[in-house]
Amino acid sequence: MPGIDPDKVPHHVAIIMDGNGRWAKARGLPRTAGHHAGVERVREAVRTAREAGIANLTLFAFSSENWNRPKEEVQDLMGLLRFFIRRDLAELHKQNVRVRVIGCRETIQSDIRPLLIEAEERTVANTGLVLAIAFNYGARDELTRAMRAIAVGVAEGRIDPATITEADIDCHLDTAAMPDPDLVIRTSGEQRLSNFLLWQSAYSEFVFMPCYWPDFDRAAFHEALAEYGRRNRRFGALAAPGLAVGQ
Ligand code: FPP
């Protein structure tokens, strides 16, 4: 990829796709027009990630707090996910992409659940990019569900509380078996994590892009990757000799 050192390509990029509403408002369009334009950028981000050799891409598509939006907007976002999976799944499969969906399944519309399962099952053996769609996702909710599952293990005598490790917690999260994100990008100029991957982003680099999500094109993605490449990751140590960014 032009301008990006292959040794500095992150293994996992997670993106908070923000600014659809403001993008639409600036054009005198309804908010939903921003979400529709955003789907095209989702496709472009997947293409760019594959080209760049990124192994894992997580996209924050619907947060557990987004239920507080007007009913029509929630319906539109659900419809877009349905449309995206129906329309793009075959192509993603052809591109060897493995789809994962993270977030709480219980409270989403019952007709969407089988689509999510189909997307995951059909692509489970794919070995290319792992595309994790965070849908009805909130990190505190994810951690609460993980803690409940561990507590059940303790109550049933399968888990000894004294031996619980960070790795045990990792494997109870929705992102089990995925590496932590090296890079978290948020568009729209906001500088918040908004309940996204709280546990997993402990040592992530953050890049805040000023553009709205529907303007986050390939060049903007490259810019964020180049910024990541300039960072010096230390993971709490004073220096990391021999530890290049991206490791
Ligand atoms: C934030 O913009 C964006 C969202 C809440 C949804 C993101 C969804 C998509 C890009 C489309 C669906 C995704 C997939 C994977 C099919 P905002 O509405 O909060 O914008 P604002 O802050 O300007 O109001």
Side-chain angles (χ1 to χ4, degrees), residues 17-22 31 35 38-39 61 66 69 77 84 213:
M17 308 183 285
D18 193 14
N20 293 351
R22 279 166 284 168
R31 294 178 55 80
H35 299 316
V39 177
N66 287 154
R69 295 185 175 210
L77 285 166
F84 177 73
W213 175 252

